[in-house]
Amino acid sequence: MSEIVVGAIAQLIIGAVIGSAVLGTDESWIKFLSGIGAIVLTFLAGAELDPQVFKLKWKEAAASGR
């Protein structure tokens, strides 16, 4: 958890000092990679589900996914 907090603070400081134009955050390939990364992370989170438990608790899983 501390690594996430330190990384978020460092990102804010670097972004404020250098600026997003220098870092190239508006580039199309950066947006593409971030989109692919979000999809992969979502898939990996779903892959951790135990199929037998999911069959038993499908109502709770469907309710929390809305």
Side-chain angles (χ1 to χ4, degrees):
M1 184 71 160
S2 62
E3 293 174 359
I4 295 171
V5 172
V6 170
I9 292 171
Q11 174 190 4
L12 291 173
I13 292 171
I14 291 171
V17 172
I18 296 176
S20 63
V22 175
L23 294 174
T25 57
D26 289 333
E27 298 289 329
S28 62
W29 66 275
I30 296 286
K31 292 180 181 180
F32 174 76
L33 287 179
S34 65
I36 294 295
I39 291 169
V40 168
L41 286 174
T42 303
F43 172 76
L44 291 175
E48 294 178 2
L49 296 175
D50 186 13
Q52 286 124 2
V53 174
F54 185 73
K55 287 178 186 176
L56 293 172
K57 307 255 183 198
W58 68 272
K59 290 180 185 177
E60 292 88 347
S64 65
R66 292 184 185 178

Coordinates of all heavy atoms in Angstrom, one line a residue:
M1 N 0.8 -1.2 0.0 CA 0.0 0.0 0.0 C 0.9 1.3 0.0 O 0.6 2.2 -0.7 CB -0.9 0.0 1.2 CG -1.9 1.1 1.3 SD -3.1 0.8 0.0 CE -4.4 1.9 0.6
S2 N 2.0 1.2 0.7 CA 2.8 2.4 0.8 C 3.5 2.7 -0.6 O 3.7 3.8 -0.9 CB 3.9 2.2 1.9 OG 4.7 1.1 1.6
E3 N 3.8 1.6 -1.3 CA 4.3 1.8 -2.7 C 3.4 2.5 -3.6 O 3.8 3.4 -4.4 CB 4.7 0.5 -3.3 CG 5.8 -0.2 -2.6 CD 6.1 -1.6 -3.1 OE1 5.4 -2.0 -4.1 OE2 7.0 -2.3 -2.6
I4 N 2.1 2.2 -3.5 CA 1.1 2.9 -4.3 C 1.0 4.4 -3.9 O 0.9 5.2 -4.8 CB -0.3 2.2 -4.1 CG1 -0.2 0.8 -4.7 CG2 -1.4 3.0 -4.8 CD1 -1.4 -0.1 -4.4
V5 N 1.0 4.7 -2.6 CA 0.9 6.0 -2.2 C 2.1 6.8 -2.6 O 2.0 8.0 -3.1 CB 0.7 6.1 -0.6 CG1 0.8 7.5 -0.1 CG2 -0.6 5.4 -0.2
V6 N 3.3 6.3 -2.4 CA 4.5 7.0 -2.8 C 4.5 7.2 -4.3 O 4.9 8.3 -4.8 CB 5.8 6.2 -2.4 CG1 7.0 6.7 -3.0 CG2 5.8 6.2 -0.8
G7 N 4.1 6.2 -5.1 CA 4.1 6.3 -6.6 C 3.1 7.4 -7.0 O 3.3 8.2 -7.9
A8 N 1.9 7.4 -6.4 CA 0.9 8.5 -6.7 C 1.4 9.9 -6.4 O 1.2 10.8 -7.2 CB -0.4 8.2 -6.0
I9 N 2.1 10.0 -5.2 CA 2.6 11.3 -4.9 C 3.7 11.7 -5.8 O 3.8 12.9 -6.3 CB 3.0 11.3 -3.4 CG1 1.8 11.2 -2.5 CG2 3.8 12.6 -3.1 CD1 2.1 11.0 -1.0
A10 N 4.6 10.8 -6.1 CA 5.7 11.1 -7.1 C 5.2 11.5 -8.4 O 5.7 12.4 -9.1 CB 6.6 9.9 -7.2
Q11 N 4.1 10.8 -8.9 CA 3.5 11.1 -10.2 C 3.0 12.6 -10.2 O 3.1 13.3 -11.1 CB 2.4 10.2 -10.5 CG 1.6 10.5 -11.8 CD 0.4 9.7 -12.0 OE1 0.1 8.9 -11.1 NE2 -0.3 9.9 -13.1
L12 N 2.3 12.9 -9.1 CA 1.8 14.3 -9.0 C 2.9 15.3 -9.0 O 2.8 16.4 -9.7 CB 0.9 14.4 -7.8 CG -0.4 13.6 -7.8 CD1 -1.1 13.7 -6.4 CD2 -1.3 14.2 -8.9
I13 N 3.9 15.1 -8.3 CA 5.0 16.0 -8.2 C 5.7 16.1 -9.5 O 6.0 17.2 -10.0 CB 6.0 15.6 -7.1 CG1 5.3 15.8 -5.7 CG2 7.3 16.4 -7.1 CD1 6.1 15.2 -4.5
I14 N 6.1 15.0 -10.1 CA 6.7 15.0 -11.4 C 5.9 15.7 -12.5 O 6.3 16.5 -13.3 CB 7.2 13.6 -11.9 CG1 8.3 13.1 -10.9 CG2 7.6 13.6 -13.3 CD1 8.6 11.7 -11.1
G15 N 4.6 15.4 -12.5 CA 3.7 16.0 -13.4 C 3.5 17.5 -13.3 O 3.4 18.2 -14.2
A16 N 3.6 18.0 -12.0 CA 3.5 19.4 -11.8 C 4.8 20.1 -12.1 O 4.7 21.2 -12.6 CB 3.1 19.6 -10.3
V17 N 5.9 19.5 -11.9 CA 7.2 20.1 -12.2 C 7.5 20.1 -13.6 O 7.8 21.2 -14.2 CB 8.3 19.5 -11.4 CG1 9.7 20.0 -11.8 CG2 8.1 19.7 -9.9
I18 N 7.4 19.0 -14.3 CA 7.8 18.9 -15.7 C 6.6 19.2 -16.6 O 6.8 19.9 -17.6 CB 8.2 17.4 -16.0 CG1 9.5 17.1 -15.2 CG2 8.5 17.2 -17.4 CD1 10.0 15.7 -15.3
G19 N 5.4 18.8 -16.3 CA 4.3 19.1 -17.1 C 3.9 17.9 -18.0 O 4.8 17.1 -18.4
S20 N 2.6 17.8 -18.3 CA 2.2 16.7 -19.1 C 2.6 16.8 -20.6 O 2.7 15.8 -21.3 CB 0.7 16.5 -19.0 OG 0.0 17.7 -19.5
A21 N 2.8 18.0 -21.1 CA 3.2 18.2 -22.5 C 4.6 17.6 -22.7 O 4.9 16.9 -23.7 CB 3.2 19.6 -22.8
V22 N 5.5 17.7 -21.7 CA 6.9 17.2 -21.9 C 6.8 15.7 -21.7 O 7.6 15.0 -22.4 CB 7.8 17.8 -20.8 CG1 9.2 17.2 -20.8 CG2 7.9 19.3 -21.0
L23 N 6.0 15.2 -20.9 CA 5.9 13.7 -20.7 C 5.2 13.0 -21.8 O 5.3 11.8 -21.9 CB 5.2 13.4 -19.3 CG 5.9 13.9 -18.1 CD1 5.1 13.6 -16.9 CD2 7.3 13.1 -17.9
G24 N 4.4 13.7 -22.6 CA 3.8 13.1 -23.8 C 2.6 12.3 -23.4 O 2.3 11.2 -24.0
T25 N 1.8 12.7 -22.4 CA 0.7 11.9 -21.9 C -0.5 11.9 -22.9 O -1.4 11.2 -22.8 CB 0.2 12.3 -20.6 OG1 -0.1 13.7 -20.6 CG2 1.3 12.1 -19.5
D26 N -0.5 12.8 -23.9 CA -1.6 12.9 -24.8 C -1.3 12.2 -26.1 O -2.1 12.2 -27.1 CB -1.9 14.4 -25.2 CG -2.5 15.2 -24.0 OD1 -3.2 14.5 -23.2 OD2 -2.3 16.4 -23.9
E27 N -0.2 11.4 -26.1 CA 0.1 10.6 -27.3 C -0.9 9.5 -27.5 O -1.3 8.9 -26.5 CB 1.5 10.1 -27.2 CG 2.6 11.2 -27.1 CD 2.8 11.9 -28.5 OE1 2.6 11.2 -29.5 OE2 3.1 13.1 -28.4
S28 N -1.2 9.1 -28.7 CA -2.2 8.1 -29.0 C -1.7 6.7 -28.5 O -2.5 5.9 -28.0 CB -2.6 8.1 -30.4 OG -1.5 7.8 -31.2
W29 N -0.4 6.4 -28.7 CA 0.1 5.1 -28.3 C 0.1 5.0 -26.8 O 0.0 3.8 -26.3 CB 1.5 4.9 -28.9 CG 2.6 5.7 -28.4 CD1 2.9 7.0 -28.8 CD2 3.5 5.4 -27.3 NE1 4.0 7.5 -28.1 CE2 4.4 6.5 -27.1 CE3 3.7 4.3 -26.5 CZ2 5.4 6.6 -26.2 CZ3 4.7 4.4 -25.5 CH2 5.5 5.5 -25.4
I30 N 0.3 6.1 -26.0 CA 0.2 6.0 -24.6 C -1.2 5.6 -24.1 O -1.5 4.8 -23.3 CB 0.6 7.3 -23.9 CG1 2.1 7.6 -24.2 CG2 0.3 7.3 -22.4 CD1 3.0 6.8 -23.4
K31 N -2.2 6.3 -24.8 CA -3.6 6.0 -24.5 C -4.0 4.6 -24.8 O -4.7 3.9 -24.1 CB -4.5 7.0 -25.2 CG -4.4 8.4 -24.7 CD -5.3 9.3 -25.4 CE -5.2 10.7 -24.9 NZ -6.0 11.7 -25.5
F32 N -3.4 4.1 -26.0 CA -3.7 2.7 -26.4 C -3.1 1.7 -25.4 O -3.8 0.8 -25.0 CB -3.0 2.4 -27.8 CG -3.1 1.0 -28.2 CD1 -4.3 0.5 -28.7 CD2 -2.0 0.2 -28.1 CE1 -4.3 -0.8 -29.1 CE2 -2.0 -1.1 -28.5 CZ -3.2 -1.6 -29.0
L33 N -1.9 1.9 -24.9 CA -1.2 1.0 -24.0 C -2.0 1.1 -22.6 O -2.2 0.0 -22.0 CB 0.2 1.4 -23.7 CG 1.2 1.0 -24.9 CD1 2.6 1.5 -24.5 CD2 1.2 -0.4 -25.2
S34 N -2.4 2.2 -22.2 CA -3.2 2.3 -20.9 C -4.5 1.6 -21.0 O -5.0 0.9 -20.1 CB -3.4 3.7 -20.5 OG -4.2 4.4 -21.4
G35 N -5.2 1.7 -22.2 CA -6.4 0.9 -22.4 C -6.2 -0.6 -22.4 O -7.0 -1.3 -21.8
I36 N -5.2 -1.0 -23.1 CA -4.9 -2.5 -23.1 C -4.5 -2.9 -21.7 O -4.9 -4.0 -21.2 CB -3.7 -2.8 -24.1 CG1 -4.1 -2.5 -25.5 CG2 -3.2 -4.2 -23.9 CD1 -5.2 -3.4 -26.0
G37 N -3.8 -2.1 -20.9 CA -3.4 -2.5 -19.6 C -4.6 -2.6 -18.7 O -4.7 -3.5 -17.9
A38 N -5.6 -1.7 -18.8 CA -6.8 -1.8 -18.0 C -7.6 -3.0 -18.4 O -8.1 -3.7 -17.5 CB -7.7 -0.5 -18.3
I39 N -7.7 -3.4 -19.6 CA -8.4 -4.6 -20.0 C -7.7 -5.9 -19.5 O -8.3 -6.8 -18.9 CB -8.5 -4.7 -21.6 CG1 -9.4 -3.6 -22.0 CG2 -9.0 -6.1 -22.0 CD1 -9.4 -3.4 -23.5
V40 N -6.4 -5.9 -19.6 CA -5.6 -7.1 -19.1 C -5.8 -7.2 -17.5 O -6.0 -8.3 -17.0 CB -4.1 -7.0 -19.5 CG1 -3.3 -8.0 -18.7 CG2 -4.0 -7.2 -21.0
L41 N -5.7 -6.1 -16.8 CA -5.9 -6.1 -15.4 C -7.3 -6.6 -15.0 O -7.4 -7.4 -14.0 CB -5.5 -4.8 -14.7 CG -4.1 -4.4 -14.7 CD1 -3.9 -3.0 -14.2 CD2 -3.3 -5.4 -13.8
T42 N -8.3 -6.2 -15.7 CA -9.6 -6.6 -15.5 C -9.8 -8.1 -15.7 O -10.4 -8.8 -14.9 CB -10.6 -5.8 -16.3 OG1 -10.5 -4.4 -16.1 CG2 -12.1 -6.2 -16.1
F43 N -9.2 -8.6 -16.8 CA -9.2 -10.0 -17.1 C -8.5 -10.8 -16.0 O -9.0 -11.8 -15.5 CB -8.6 -10.3 -18.4 CG -8.4 -11.8 -18.7 CD1 -9.5 -12.5 -19.1 CD2 -7.1 -12.4 -18.6 CE1 -9.3 -13.9 -19.3 CE2 -7.0 -13.7 -18.8 CZ -8.1 -14.5 -19.2
L44 N -7.3 -10.3 -15.6 CA -6.6 -11.1 -14.5 C -7.3 -11.1 -13.2 O -7.3 -12.1 -12.5 CB -5.2 -10.5 -14.4 CG -4.2 -10.7 -15.5 CD1 -3.0 -9.9 -15.3 CD2 -4.0 -12.1 -15.8
A45 N -8.0 -10.1 -12.9 CA -8.8 -10.0 -11.7 C -10.0 -11.1 -11.8 O -10.3 -11.8 -10.8 CB -9.4 -8.6 -11.4
G46 N -10.6 -11.2 -12.9 CA -11.6 -12.2 -13.1 C -11.1 -13.6 -13.2 O -11.8 -14.5 -12.8
A47 N -9.9 -13.8 -13.6 CA -9.3 -15.1 -13.7 C -9.0 -15.7 -12.4 O -8.8 -16.9 -12.3 CB -8.0 -15.1 -14.5
E48 N -9.0 -14.9 -11.3 CA -8.7 -15.4 -10.0 C -10.0 -16.0 -9.3 O -9.9 -16.6 -8.2 CB -8.2 -14.3 -9.1 CG -6.9 -13.8 -9.5 CD -6.4 -12.6 -8.7 OE1 -7.1 -12.3 -7.7 OE2 -5.3 -12.1 -9.0
L49 N -11.1 -15.9 -10.0 CA -12.3 -16.5 -9.4 C -12.3 -18.0 -9.4 O -11.9 -18.6 -10.4 CB -13.6 -16.0 -10.1 CG -13.8 -14.5 -10.1 CD1 -15.0 -14.1 -11.0 CD2 -14.1 -14.1 -8.6
D50 N -12.8 -18.6 -8.4 CA -12.9 -20.1 -8.3 C -14.2 -20.5 -8.9 O -15.3 -20.0 -8.5 CB -12.8 -20.5 -6.8 CG -12.8 -22.0 -6.7 OD1 -12.6 -22.7 -7.7 OD2 -13.0 -22.5 -5.5
P51 N -14.2 -21.3 -10.0 CA -15.5 -21.6 -10.7 C -16.5 -22.2 -9.8 O -17.7 -22.0 -9.9 CB -15.0 -22.6 -11.8 CG -13.6 -22.3 -12.0 CD -13.0 -21.8 -10.6
Q52 N -16.1 -23.1 -8.9 CA -17.1 -23.8 -8.0 C -17.8 -22.8 -7.0 O -19.0 -22.8 -6.8 CB -16.5 -24.9 -7.2 CG -16.2 -26.1 -8.1 CD -14.7 -26.5 -8.1 OE1 -13.9 -25.9 -7.3 NE2 -14.4 -27.5 -8.9
V53 N -17.0 -21.9 -6.5 CA -17.5 -20.9 -5.6 C -18.4 -19.9 -6.4 O -19.5 -19.5 -5.9 CB -16.4 -20.1 -4.9 CG1 -17.0 -19.0 -4.0 CG2 -15.6 -21.1 -4.0
F54 N -18.0 -19.6 -7.6 CA -18.8 -18.7 -8.4 C -20.1 -19.3 -8.8 O -21.1 -18.6 -8.8 CB -18.0 -18.3 -9.7 CG -18.7 -17.3 -10.6 CD1 -18.7 -16.0 -10.2 CD2 -19.3 -17.6 -11.7 CE1 -19.4 -15.0 -10.9 CE2 -20.0 -16.7 -12.5 CZ -20.0 -15.4 -12.1
K55 N -20.2 -20.6 -9.0 CA -21.5 -21.2 -9.3 C -22.4 -21.2 -8.1 O -23.6 -21.0 -8.3 CB -21.2 -22.7 -9.7 CG -20.7 -22.8 -11.1 CD -20.4 -24.3 -11.5 CE -19.7 -24.4 -12.8 NZ -19.3 -25.8 -13.1
L56 N -21.8 -21.3 -6.9 CA -22.7 -21.2 -5.7 C -23.1 -19.8 -5.4 O -24.2 -19.6 -4.8 CB -21.9 -21.8 -4.5 CG -21.6 -23.3 -4.6 CD1 -20.7 -23.7 -3.4 CD2 -22.9 -24.1 -4.5
K57 N -22.3 -18.8 -5.7 CA -22.5 -17.4 -5.3 C -22.7 -16.5 -6.5 O -22.3 -15.3 -6.4 CB -21.4 -16.9 -4.4 CG -21.0 -17.8 -3.3 CD -21.4 -17.2 -2.0 CE -21.0 -18.0 -0.9 NZ -21.7 -17.7 0.3
W58 N -23.3 -17.0 -7.6 CA -23.5 -16.2 -8.8 C -24.4 -15.0 -8.6 O -24.2 -13.9 -9.2 CB -23.9 -17.0 -9.9 CG -25.3 -17.5 -9.8 CD1 -25.7 -18.7 -9.2 CD2 -26.5 -16.9 -10.3 NE1 -27.1 -18.8 -9.3 CE2 -27.6 -17.7 -10.0 CE3 -26.7 -15.7 -11.0 CZ2 -28.9 -17.4 -10.3 CZ3 -28.0 -15.4 -11.3 CH2 -29.1 -16.2 -10.9
K59 N -25.4 -15.1 -7.7 CA -26.3 -13.9 -7.5 C -25.5 -12.8 -6.8 O -25.7 -11.6 -7.2 CB -27.4 -14.4 -6.6 CG -28.4 -15.3 -7.3 CD -29.5 -15.7 -6.3 CE -30.4 -16.7 -7.0 NZ -31.5 -17.2 -6.1
E60 N -24.7 -13.1 -5.8 CA -23.9 -12.0 -5.2 C -22.9 -11.4 -6.1 O -22.7 -10.2 -6.1 CB -23.2 -12.6 -3.9 CG -24.1 -13.0 -2.8 CD -24.6 -14.4 -2.9 OE1 -24.4 -15.0 -4.0 OE2 -25.1 -14.9 -1.9
A61 N -22.3 -12.2 -7.0 CA -21.3 -11.7 -7.9 C -22.0 -10.8 -9.0 O -21.4 -9.8 -9.4 CB -20.6 -12.9 -8.6
A62 N -23.1 -11.2 -9.4 CA -23.9 -10.4 -10.4 C -24.3 -9.1 -9.8 O -24.3 -8.1 -10.5 CB -25.0 -11.2 -11.0
A63 N -24.8 -9.1 -8.5 CA -25.2 -7.9 -7.9 C -24.1 -6.9 -7.7 O -24.3 -5.7 -7.8 CB -25.9 -8.2 -6.6
S64 N -22.9 -7.4 -7.4 CA -21.8 -6.5 -7.1 C -21.2 -6.0 -8.4 O -20.5 -5.0 -8.5 CB -20.7 -7.2 -6.3 OG -20.1 -8.3 -7.0
G65 N -21.4 -6.7 -9.5 CA -20.9 -6.3 -10.8 C -21.7 -5.2 -11.5 O -21.3 -4.7 -12.6
R66 N -22.8 -4.8 -11.0 CA -23.7 -3.8 -11.6 C -23.3 -2.4 -11.3 O -22.7 -1.9 -10.6 CB -25.1 -4.0 -11.2 CG -25.7 -5.3 -11.7 CD -27.1 -5.4 -11.4 NE -27.6 -6.7 -11.8 CZ -28.8 -7.1 -11.6 NH1 -29.7 -6.3 -11.0 NH2 -29.2 -8.3 -12.1

